[in-house]
Amino acid sequence: MTEVAQELMTPDEAAKWFRRSPSWLRQQRDLVRVAGPGGQPLYHIRVCRAYVLGRMEGLTGQALKNIQLAALAAACGLSPQPAAAPSAGSS
């Protein structure tokens, strides 16, 4: 679990990592947040990398959240839960 703590960043460090301002970073609603949608963004290096990768792949919404949670699970040494299959009604 030491690795997780070592990869946490302060808001200022995360802003430098993204090469943006802290206010820009707070406005990114798709970043995984602690305690839900109105909470503090989780400034973990693997979560931030997954966010950037997901954005580059054109992911949004739940798909973008899932890739960030999978990265966090991997950092914690947990197996990510498989994503729910799409509903059978869509063709």
Side-chain angles (χ1 to χ4, degrees):
M1 200 68 152
T2 306
E3 179 183 352
V4 172
Q6 290 175 344
E7 292 184 351
L8 287 173
M9 297 181 282
T10 66
D12 287 335
E13 289 171 332
K16 288 177 186 174
W17 189 87
F18 277 103
R19 295 185 179 166
R20 302 287 184 163
S21 69
S23 63
W24 176 88
L25 199 52
R26 284 190 297 274
Q27 294 171 10
Q28 302 312 300
R29 295 291 167 214
D30 287 331
L31 270 173
V32 170
R33 295 173 180 272
V34 177
Q40 173 75 22
L42 182 59
Y43 301 125
H44 186 275
I45 191 72
R46 290 193 193 186
V47 172
C48 292
R49 286 178 183 158
Y51 175 78
V52 170
L53 178 62
R55 293 289 303 262
M56 290 174 67
E57 291 178 354
L59 300 179
T60 58
Q62 191 62 41
L64 187 54
K65 181 178 179 179
N66 288 344
I67 197 171
Q68 293 174 77
L69 292 176
L72 182 59
C76 293
L78 303 172
S79 297
Q81 297 297 319
S87 63
S90 58
S91 300

